[in-house]
Amino acid sequence: MILKSKTKTLDLSRPHTMGILNVTPDSFSDGGRFNRMDAALRHAEEMLAAGTSILDIGGESTRPGADEVAAEQELERVVPVIEALRQRFDCWISIDTSKALVMSEAVTAGADLINDVRALREPGALGAAAKAGVPICVMHMQGQPRTMQHQPSYQDVIADVGDFLAERIHACEQVGIPRDQLLLDPGYGFGKTLEHNYQLLAHLDEFHRFGLPLLVGMSRKSMVFKLLNKEPADCLAGSLACAVIAVMKGAQIIRVHDAKETVDVLKVCEMTLAQLRGE
Ligand SMILES: Cn1cnc2c(O)nc(N)nc21
């Protein structure tokens, strides 16, 4: 499986990390615009030096309880950083957004992949993604970040998430987005209880039936810190355990905070998977 953007390819026959590069005010200790850019570039450099394949740039927090951000504000946060990264590095850059305008401007600025936690359901998003002509990750979310964790419920979380992803694949194909440009993501922590999240991890391999790459993000999420009763920043071991389980179940891209440690963990998994495949 090879992912193709306008200018580069990514060989998905081995697992990759996607490094989280949040450019939201709450992801910075207080500092002016220069400090934010400087901090973002230093963080990007660290993750790339560690071997991460993709940098995921997000200008709107989507953690539980987060409020939405205006398009103009999101653009101000992400476009300068994408432009600066594009001038310095030739890595894959993904834009973490649900807004059509941000998708278009970010790809124009050099983003190679659209990562939409709302799976192109916002106004104009399907059209913008079709026009952008880059790979798109569509992720399952029940409700909206502000309220999604109030009372998540499913008939059968695996079947329900699968049905959602099937419907989004169809919606993308209807507007001319080629199926082989899609990545799927069950959306850990987005409208799920602890049990729902671990059911989705335990049965992650059932999503291979779509024949598309799987992208997962569990790093420092409630499925780790609630289970371990620890602060998110103390959840490296638990997050790495989730990454191992996901990769051994065939996930191709793991979205993480701790790129350095996860790159090593993925190398061990890759070597083990190669033995299973008789390589
Ligand atoms: C932006 N973001 C936060 N968590 C995420 C997850 O689990 N998957 C994807 N694709 N994006 C995420």
Side-chain angles (χ1 to χ4, degrees):
M1 236 180 231
I2 304 277
L3 206 56
K4 294 190 182 79
S5 83
K6 293 180 177 172
T7 60
K8 47 182 79 74
T9 61
L10 190 66
D11 173 10
L12 295 182
S13 65
R14 74 169 179 89
H16 294 267
T17 57
M18 170 188 267
I20 298 168
L21 192 61
N22 281 330
V23 287
T24 52
D26 62 339
S27 54
F28 287 95
S29 54
D30 56 349
R33 187 182 299 276
F34 170 75
N35 288 352
R36 282 188 193 169
M37 175 64 82
D38 186 46
L41 294 177
R42 264 189 286 107
H43 190 189
E45 198 146 33
E46 274 164 32
M47 292 194 284
L48 293 171
T52 208
S53 306
I54 308 171
L55 295 177
D56 193 33
I57 319 298
E60 176 198 39
S61 172
T62 51
R63 67 177 57 129
D67 287 325
E68 297 210 5
V69 165
E72 278 318 306
Q73 200 165 35
E74 203 175 321
L75 283 168
E76 266 171 37
R77 291 172 181 173
V78 300
V79 171
V81 173
I82 292 172
E83 287 171 342
L85 290 172
R86 199 68 298 159
Q87 280 169 7
R88 288 164 174 78
F89 309 112
D90 64 0
C91 65
W92 276 70
I93 296 172
S94 71
I95 175 67
D96 153 20
T97 188
S98 299
K99 295 186 182 65
L101 181 61
V102 179
M103 289 174 191
S104 310
E105 298 289 310
V107 170
T108 301
D112 305 289
L113 187 151
I114 292 169
N115 176 28
D116 183 6
V117 299
R118 293 180 180 84
L120 302 178
R121 287 179 290 165
E122 293 297 289
L126 270 171
K131 200 155 158 277
V134 296
I136 303 140
C137 178
V138 291
M139 191 198 82
H140 175 269
M141 178 190 318
Q142 186 181 77
Q144 286 294 339
R146 221 168 36 73
T147 55
M148 64 190 175
Q149 289 309 114
H150 289 177
Q151 271 182 323
S153 70
Y154 299 84
Q155 280 296 322
D156 167 342
V157 66
I158 306 300
D160 294 358
V161 170
D163 291 346
F164 172 89
L165 293 173
E167 188 280 321
R168 297 319 295 158
I169 292 166
H170 178 70
C172 288
E173 289 178 312
Q174 290 290 92
V175 295
I177 297 171
R179 188 188 175 92
D180 65 4
Q181 284 287 79
L182 296 177
L183 300 94
L184 305 180
D185 184 333
Y188 293 100
F190 287 89
K192 280 93 177 178
T193 63
L194 188 70
E195 288 71 21
H196 292 143
N197 285 316
Y198 280 98
Q199 285 167 18
L200 285 165
L201 181 54
H203 298 280
L204 179 63
D205 38 333
E206 291 187 25
F207 294 105
H208 289 307
R209 63 188 169 92
F210 295 104
L212 293 172
L214 301 181
L215 190 160
V216 297
M218 294 167 278
S219 179
R220 303 186 188 176
K221 285 192 176 176
S222 64
M223 69 187 282
V224 180
F225 68 71
K226 279 202 179 131
L227 182 71
L228 303 181
N229 194 20
K230 292 189 167 179
E231 290 303 310
D234 298 334
C235 288
L236 174 59
S239 301
L240 293 175
C242 290
V244 169
I245 295 166
V247 168
M248 294 309 288
K249 285 176 173 286
Q252 285 93 345
I253 299 175
I254 316 290
R255 183 177 182 276
V256 298
H257 299 86
D258 305 292
K260 179 168 164 285
E261 295 82 355
T262 312
V263 165
D264 283 354
V265 159
L266 264 51
K267 280 181 184 154
V268 172
C269 295
E270 185 184 346
M271 184 64 181
T272 307
L273 288 167
Q275 310 316 310
L276 284 171
R277 290 192 293 256
E279 288 168 13

